[in-house]
Amino acid sequence: MKISKLMVIGAGQMGSGIAQVCAQAGYKVILNDLKPEFVERGFAGINKLLTRNVDKGRLTEEQKQDILGNITTSTDLKDASDVDLVIEAAVENMDIKTNIFAQLDEITPDHTILASNTSSLPITEIAAATKRPEKVIGMHFMNPVPVMKLVEIIRGLATADEVYQVIEDMTKTLSKVPVEVNDFPGFVSNRILMPMINEAIYTLYEGVATKEAIDEVMKLGMNHPMGPLTLADFIGLDTCLYIMETLHQGFGDDKYRPCPLLRKYVKAGWLGKKTGRGFYTYQ
Ligand code: CAA
């Protein structure tokens, strides 16, 4: 199994980041989303980040054009009819994902591997929407994708060893570090990260300290690059709540109960950096 052409579904922050690193590694990438304006925005974001790299002398203008030339845009899933790999980075909703995977199962050739960038939804359940569960796998990139080294590679119950190996090798060609994980709620990254963020929100909710103090403790005391409340704003509070709910339901254990303050902020539409307000305000 050799991967040369792939489709990335979802041109948001994660999808466009994934498309960028794949194009930088020389793969032909189709960046797909529902509407032309979504793919245009994703492509413009990639162009902006590459231009910054040119300005900083890390890329030549020619290299930038080559990378951009590796990316085509699409609003039709049928454009996946000749790809070797699909990486799905659409919204975190099981019905939407299973619908996409069922369509991809019909559209793509038999050899195509179908990967999901889901941050916590079960790969095994997504795979069950297809007739090729052995070729379905999780590739969980971290935000911001161009900077973060890790890709969690999640084996679904039926994922074939050969498929795992192809994806592990491909991940290394992106200059990322693959880490093998089994399919349980939140995998490893969000099983550990989200309860920490949730606990930081409880700490604020219970008046133990101010938001600035909580972030300062974790930054200076634990050497985290961002405090947990800043990080929650960066990830998106709706995403944090969704992942906590997935952990809560998946394990049935109250230790994963989302903090009421997190629910309140999400209900208020204070979703973090992307809406201009979360625990902090943004211009
Ligand atoms: N896209 C691309 N590059 C970016 C970027 C972005 N959104 N944000 C920052 N960068 C780059 C900058 O260009 C800069 O690169 P150079 O130094 O080469 O110019 C570099 O990152 C450092 O940026 P800054 O100096 O502006 O800021 P910083 O030192 O604070 O680093 C950070 C920014 C890398 C985001 C750092 O704060 C960090 O590592 N934060 C934690 C990120 C994290 O935990 N991510 C995981 C989130 S959880 C997740 O993704 C999984 C999930 O399922 C929810």
Side-chain angles (χ1 to χ4, degrees):
M1 274 190 226
K2 187 179 166 343
I3 291 166
S4 50
K5 188 170 179 185
L6 60 102
M7 176 181 271
V8 177
I9 299 176
Q13 215 180 10
M14 296 304 288
S16 53
I18 295 167
Q20 179 185 331
V21 297
C22 292
Q24 279 172 344
Y27 295 98
K28 296 286 175 208
V29 182
I30 304 170
L31 181 59
N32 172 282
D33 208 320
L34 291 172
K35 293 186 180 169
E37 56 264 39
F38 297 165
V39 272
E40 279 155 25
R41 196 168 52 210
F43 191 82
I46 296 170
N47 193 2
K48 194 170 156 198
L49 285 175
L50 293 176
T51 303
R52 204 163 63 194
N53 283 334
V54 172
D55 293 345
K56 290 198 167 185
R58 284 192 290 243
L59 274 183
T60 64
E61 181 59 32
E62 198 187 354
Q63 285 169 321
K64 176 186 133 180
Q65 292 307 335
D66 284 347
I67 295 166
L68 291 176
N70 282 339
I71 305 174
T72 52
T73 56
S74 143
T75 52
D76 190 350
L77 278 189
K78 292 201 180 74
D79 292 330
S81 62
D82 64 346
V83 300
D84 310 303
L85 169 67
V86 178
I87 306 175
E88 172 278 321
V91 291
E92 289 290 270
N93 174 301
M94 186 50 101
D95 289 343
I96 292 174
K97 289 196 194 288
T98 49
N99 182 292
I100 290 172
F101 274 71
Q103 288 187 61
L104 291 171
D105 197 26
E106 299 296 325
I107 294 166
T108 56
D110 288 348
H111 75 274
T112 306
I113 296 174
L114 306 179
S116 176
N117 177 56
T118 179
S119 53
S120 62
L121 291 173
I123 298 301
T124 306
E125 196 175 330
I126 296 172
T130 74
K131 291 189 265 333
R132 61 177 97 182
E134 72 288 354
K135 294 202 179 79
V136 178
I137 194 162
M139 286 181 88
H140 183 210
F141 291 79
M142 301 292 129
N143 188 12
V145 179
V147 179
M148 306 299 281
K149 283 279 172 212
L150 175 71
V151 183
E152 263 186 313
I153 313 283
I154 302 110
R155 279 182 187 266
L157 198 58
T159 308
D161 287 344
E162 190 195 359
V163 169
Y164 177 83
Q165 202 52 57
V166 169
I167 293 301
E168 185 182 85
D169 294 346
M170 188 265 178
T171 301
K172 288 179 186 162
T173 68
L174 305 177
S175 304
K176 302 284 182 202
V177 179
V179 174
E180 182 179 350
V181 171
N182 285 320
D183 189 20
F184 284 96
F187 316 130
V188 170
S189 56
N190 280 323
R191 173 139 178 203
I192 297 173
L193 175 67
M194 281 304 156
M196 185 199 71
I197 286 177
N198 197 45
E199 201 58 32
I201 301 170
Y202 268 115
T203 310
L204 178 68
Y205 177 63
E206 290 169 8
V208 179
T210 63
K211 56 183 184 288
E212 292 85 0
I214 294 164
D215 275 351
E216 205 72 339
V217 165
M218 298 306 287
K219 267 172 66 176
L220 301 183
M222 284 75 191
N223 247 354
H224 290 191
M226 287 173 161
L229 300 173
T230 304
L231 183 57
D233 275 357
F234 174 70
I235 292 168
L237 301 191
D238 50 343
T239 304
C240 294
L241 178 58
Y242 190 78
I243 295 170
M244 281 313 296
E245 279 170 339
T246 304
L247 292 172
H248 198 203
Q249 282 162 16
F251 291 114
D253 189 325
D254 244 19
K255 74 179 178 181
Y256 301 108
R257 187 166 62 97
C259 178
L261 190 61
L262 175 60
R263 287 193 189 284
K264 197 175 197 171
Y265 275 41
V266 171
K267 284 219 169 82
W270 295 5
L271 305 184
K273 214 172 167 190
K274 64 187 169 188
T275 58
R277 181 157 198 176
F279 293 105
Y280 297 90
T281 49
Y282 303 86
Q283 298 310 323

